[in-house]
C-alpha cells in the first residue's frame, strides 16, 4: 500500500461529468486513496450518482442548500486525515500516477510543503490537449502569482495536510479556502500559501487536465464582478507581502484600466483609491477612457502604466497562451483507456 492521500471533490449539477471524474480518480495507482465527494445542494441526480458507486474509498456528503465550492472543499478537507491532500473539480481529470508520483516526491524532499505538476486544457480527450494552464518558465512562482500570473490551477498541487493547516490558521476565521470569495479562490489559496513561505516543488510532468466547457459552474455565475473580487483578494494578501508593494500597486492600475474601458466607473475609482497615489495624468486617462469608452485613452493609460513599471499584460495574457509543444522539458503522460 502506498502513501495515504485524500482527494476532495465539490460537486454541483454536472452529473454526467462528475461520473467521469469519480471513475477517473478511483483509478489512482500505488496510493492509499480516500475520496470525499461533497454534493453542494445539487438539483439534478448528482447525489444519486455518487451513492451508486460501490467503493469503500468514496465518502459522500451533501449540503441541502448550496454553500459554494469553497465551503464544500473546506468541509471535505476537515473530514479527512491523510497526510496528503489534493483538491479536484468535478469535471477535471488526473493521470492515475499523478498522486503517487507527487507523494513520492514529497517523501523524498521533506522540506517541501507541496508538489505541483503541469496542467493541460482539454475538451473531450485529454491526450489531445494542446494548451497548458501556464508555463513554468520565468520568474519565481511567488513573484508571478503576486502579479496575477497564476502558474498553476486548483488540482495541480498535492499538499501536505500540515501546509494547508498553516493556510487555514493564517485567516481571521480558520479555513483553507476563503468562503467569502465568489471566484478566484484557487488563485487566493496558492498566492497566500507562497506569501506564508510554503515551499513548492515544481515538476514539468503533464499529469492533470482541466476541462474546457460551457456547463454550469459551482464557483459563480457570469454576473459576479471579477474586478471587485480580485481587489478583495489583493487587499487580503497585502499584509502578507509587504516586500511586494509594487506588484500590488500594479494590480490596482491594471484593474483600473480594465474597469475604465468597460465603463465601470465605481470599480475604476475604487482601484485608483487603492493604488497609493497614482499620478494625475494616469487617473485622468482612466476617467477619459471610462467616460468616452474610446480605446485610445486606454492605450495611453497603458503606455503610462508601462512607463511606471506596471506591465498589464503579465496579469492576464498568460491564460490559454502557452502550447504544450513549446514548454521546455515537458514530459507528457498519456491517459490510459478507460480513465476518461
Amino acid at each position: 500500500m502506498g502513501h495515504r492521500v485524500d482527494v476532495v471533490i465539490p460537486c454541483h449539477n454536472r452529473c454526467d461529468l462528475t461520473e467521469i471524474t469519480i471513475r477517473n480518480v478511483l483509478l489512482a495507482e500505488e496510493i492509499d486513496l480516500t475520496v470525499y465527494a461533497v454534493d453542494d445542494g445539487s438539483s439534478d441526480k448528482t447525489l444519486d450518482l455518487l451513492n451508486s458507486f460501490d467503493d469503500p474509498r468514496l465518502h459522500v456528503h451533501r449540503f441541502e442548500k448550496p454553500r459554494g465550492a469553497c465551503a464544500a472543499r473546506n468541509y471535505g478537507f476537515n473530514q479527512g486525515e491523510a497526510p496528503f491532500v489534493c483538491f479536484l473539480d468535478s469535471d477535471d481529470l488526473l493521470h492515475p500516477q499523478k498522486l503517487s508520483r507527487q507523494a513520492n516526491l514529497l517523501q523524498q524532499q521533506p522540506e517541501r510543503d507541496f508538489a505541483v505538476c503541469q496542467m493541460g486544457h482539454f475538451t473531450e480527450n485529454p491526450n489531445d490537449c494542446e494548451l497548458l494552464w501556464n508555463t513554468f518558465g520565468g520568474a519565481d512562482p511567488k513573484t508571478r502569482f503576486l502579479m496575477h500570473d497564476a502558474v498553476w490551477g486548483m488540482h495541480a498541487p498535492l499538499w501536505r495536510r500540515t501546509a494547508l493547516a498553516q493556510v487555514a490558521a493564517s485567516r481571521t476565521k480558520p479555513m483553507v479556502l476563503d468562503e467569502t470569495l465568489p471566484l478566484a479562490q484557487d488563485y487566493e489559496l496558492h498566492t497566500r500559501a507562497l506569501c506564508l513561505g510554503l515551499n513548492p516543488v515544481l515538476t514539468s510532468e503533464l499529469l492533470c487536465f482541466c476541462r474546457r466547457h460551457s456547463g454550469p459552474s459551482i464557483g459563480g455565475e457570469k454576473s459576479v464582478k471579477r474586478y471587485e473580487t480580485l481587489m478583495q483578494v489583493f487587499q487580503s494578501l497585502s499584509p502578507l507581502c509587504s516586500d511586494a508593494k509594487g506588484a500590488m500597486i500594479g494590480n490596482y492600475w491594471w484593474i483600473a484600466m480594465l474597469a475604465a474601458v468597460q465603463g465601470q466607473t465605481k470599480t475604476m475609482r475604487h482601484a485608483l483609491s487603492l493604488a497609493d497615489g497614482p499620478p494625475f495624468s494616469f487617473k485622468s486617462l482612466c476617467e477619459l477612457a471610462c467616460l468616452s469608452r474610446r480605446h485610445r485613452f486606454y492605450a495611453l493609460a497603458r503606455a503610462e502604466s508601462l512607463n511606471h513599471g506596471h506591465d498589464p499584460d503579465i496579469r492576464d495574457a498568460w491564460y490559454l497562451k502557452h502550447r504544450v509543444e513549446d514548454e521546455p522539458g515537458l514530459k507528457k503522460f498519456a491517459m490510459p483507456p478507460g480513465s476518461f
Side-chain angles (χ1 to χ4, degrees):
M1 189 67 70
H3 299 286
R4 293 169 59 217
V5 179
D6 288 340
V7 175
V8 179
I9 307 176
C11 308
H12 181 73
N13 285 356
R14 46 167 67 129
C15 190
D16 53 341
L17 297 180
T18 298
E19 180 176 11
I20 296 171
T21 294
I22 297 293
R23 293 189 184 283
N24 164 262
V25 75
L26 291 173
L27 294 174
E29 299 174 357
E30 300 177 4
I31 61 168
D32 183 359
L33 175 71
T34 304
V35 179
Y36 295 93
V38 183
D39 177 18
D40 186 38
S42 295
S43 58
D44 64 359
K45 295 184 178 180
T46 293
L47 183 62
D48 292 338
L49 165 72
L50 295 174
N51 286 330
S52 71
F53 282 90
D54 184 18
D55 193 313
R57 297 173 298 170
L58 177 62
H59 296 248
V60 178
H61 305 269
R62 175 174 169 81
F63 296 160
E64 290 303 319
K65 295 182 179 180
R67 292 167 51 186
C70 285
R73 292 187 183 108
N74 287 334
Y75 183 85
F77 171 80
N78 289 328
Q79 296 304 303
E81 56 183 23
F84 300 113
V85 180
C86 177
F87 294 113
L88 177 63
D89 288 344
S90 63
D91 55 344
D92 295 335
L93 302 173
L94 307 180
H95 189 277
Q97 294 182 23
K98 191 258 194 194
L99 301 173
S100 60
R101 294 181 71 86
Q102 290 180 310
N104 288 335
L105 194 60
L106 290 172
Q107 182 72 16
Q108 295 161 11
Q109 301 186 47
E111 76 281 4
R112 306 286 188 162
D113 298 295
F114 58 107
V116 185
C117 67
Q118 265 291 8
M119 295 176 60
H121 289 279
F122 78 104
T123 51
E124 297 295 335
N125 187 338
N127 290 323
D128 294 336
C129 75
E130 298 178 347
L131 295 172
L132 295 174
W133 174 274
N134 203 343
T135 179
F136 278 1
D140 67 278
K142 177 182 173 181
T143 298
R144 292 179 62 187
F145 267 100
L146 283 171
M147 294 191 291
H148 198 260
D149 181 11
V151 187
W152 58 79
M154 181 59 81
H155 60 291
L158 179 69
W159 300 86
R160 295 190 192 274
R161 179 173 290 274
T162 52
L164 291 174
Q166 284 184 250
V167 173
S170 74
R171 304 187 189 279
T172 304
K173 180 180 178 181
M175 52 185 169
V176 174
L177 290 116
D178 187 346
E179 296 180 15
T180 70
L181 297 175
L183 48 82
Q185 305 101 332
D186 54 344
Y187 167 73
E188 194 277 345
L189 168 64
H190 301 142
T191 311
R192 177 175 289 268
L194 294 168
C195 289
L196 290 171
L198 296 180
N199 189 10
V201 54
L202 277 62
T203 58
S204 292
E205 298 180 334
L206 183 54
L207 290 166
C208 60
F209 304 89
C210 180
R211 188 185 299 271
R212 295 177 61 192
H213 66 94
S214 57
S217 171
I218 190 172
E221 302 299 330
K222 292 181 180 179
S223 60
V224 173
K225 295 184 178 179
R226 176 175 178 240
Y227 305 144
E228 285 89 343
T229 303
L230 285 175
M231 284 191 287
Q232 179 184 342
V233 169
F234 297 146
Q235 287 181 276
S236 72
L237 294 173
S238 289
L240 302 177
C241 57
S242 57
D243 58 336
K245 185 177 179 180
M248 286 301 178
I249 291 173
N251 290 335
Y252 295 131
W253 283 45
W254 165 61
I255 290 178
M257 287 186 289
L258 291 179
V261 81
Q262 295 183 27
Q264 298 181 18
T265 306
K266 183 178 178 180
T267 301
M268 175 199 68
R269 291 176 178 168
H270 184 201
L272 290 171
S273 73
L274 297 170
D276 195 29
F280 177 77
S281 54
F282 178 75
K283 292 192 289 185
S284 298
L285 289 168
C286 288
E287 291 282 358
L288 287 168
C290 193
L291 180 65
S292 67
R293 306 288 291 277
R294 291 184 178 177
H295 192 270
R296 67 187 180 98
F297 291 117
Y298 168 83
L300 290 170
R302 181 181 180 280
E304 182 152 354
S305 180
L306 288 169
N307 287 337
H308 283 79
H310 305 310
D311 185 354
D313 288 346
I314 292 174
R315 291 165 166 83
D316 231 1
W318 53 271
Y319 187 65
L320 297 180
K321 298 295 183 182
H322 297 282
R323 300 187 64 82
V324 168
E325 61 193 29
D326 296 333
E327 183 72 359
L330 183 71
K331 182 178 180 181
K332 296 177 66 176
F333 285 70
M335 291 284 280
S339 64
F340 59 92

